[in-house]
């Protein structure tokens, strides 16, 4: 069982990034999926989640209107489109099944410069 996140990088404030998370060893089809982020010395924060069919999504207040979570069950992949990025979005981003979680991947670093 493995989750591999990618797509992070360094971007200026106001810019965009699209993160991807591909699962292996299990199928995401029947699972809610979620994106989280973590900065040093703080707890991991739930950013967005999406229902198994993709019809229901929910976002942290801090990212509403800027981030969009989506999924392609055929590719066993979840995405996070991040627009209008802010410096405070800087973090390592992870994806996982909300409950029960799978082993965490290595995450992908997103750095937003001012």
């Amino acid at each position: 069982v493995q989750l591999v996140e990618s797509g992070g990088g360094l971007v200026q404030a106001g810019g965009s990034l699209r993160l991807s998370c591909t699962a292996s060893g299990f199928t995401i089809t029947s699972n809610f999926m979620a994106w989280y982020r973590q900065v040093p010395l703080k707890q991991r924060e739930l950013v967005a989640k999406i229902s198994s069919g993709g019809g229901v999504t929910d976002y942290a207040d801090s990212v509403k209107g800027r981030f969009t979570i989506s999924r392609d069950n055929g590719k066993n992949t979840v995405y996070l489109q991040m627009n209008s990025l802010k410096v405070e979005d800087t973090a390592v981003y992870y994806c996982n099944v909300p409950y029960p979680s799978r082993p965490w991947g290595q995450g992908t670093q997103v750095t937003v410069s001012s």
Side-chain angles (χ1 to χ4, degrees):
V1 173
Q2 192 176 20
L3 292 160
V4 178
E5 300 90 351
S6 62
L10 173 64
V11 64
Q12 285 192 325
S16 298
L17 284 173
R18 189 193 193 208
L19 307 184
S20 299
C21 169
T22 299
S24 60
F26 75 102
T27 177
I28 69 169
T29 303
S30 59
N31 293 293
F32 271 70
M33 294 296 296
W35 281 96
Y36 302 80
R37 66 187 180 187
Q38 189 171 26
V39 298
L41 304 180
K42 288 193 175 181
Q43 281 194 326
R44 194 168 285 152
E45 172 192 19
L46 176 65
V47 173
K49 58 185 178 183
I50 186 168
S51 60
S52 55
V56 178
T57 57
D58 194 23
Y59 299 90
D61 288 343
S62 57
V63 307
K64 277 182 183 176
R66 300 188 298 120
F67 290 12
T68 303
I69 188 171
S70 61
R71 62 192 295 158
D72 185 336
N73 287 340
K75 294 183 178 179
N76 226 31
T77 298
V78 184
Y79 305 97
L80 186 67
Q81 177 67 44
M82 306 187 296
N83 299 329
S84 302
L85 282 161
K86 303 177 180 180
V87 172
E88 51 264 41
D89 294 320
T90 296
V92 179
Y93 284 72
Y94 304 85
C95 74
N96 211 326
V97 179
Y99 183 83
S101 62
R102 304 299 192 265
W104 292 91
Q106 83 288 350
T108 186
Q109 175 71 48
V110 172
T111 303
V112 184
S113 64
S114 59

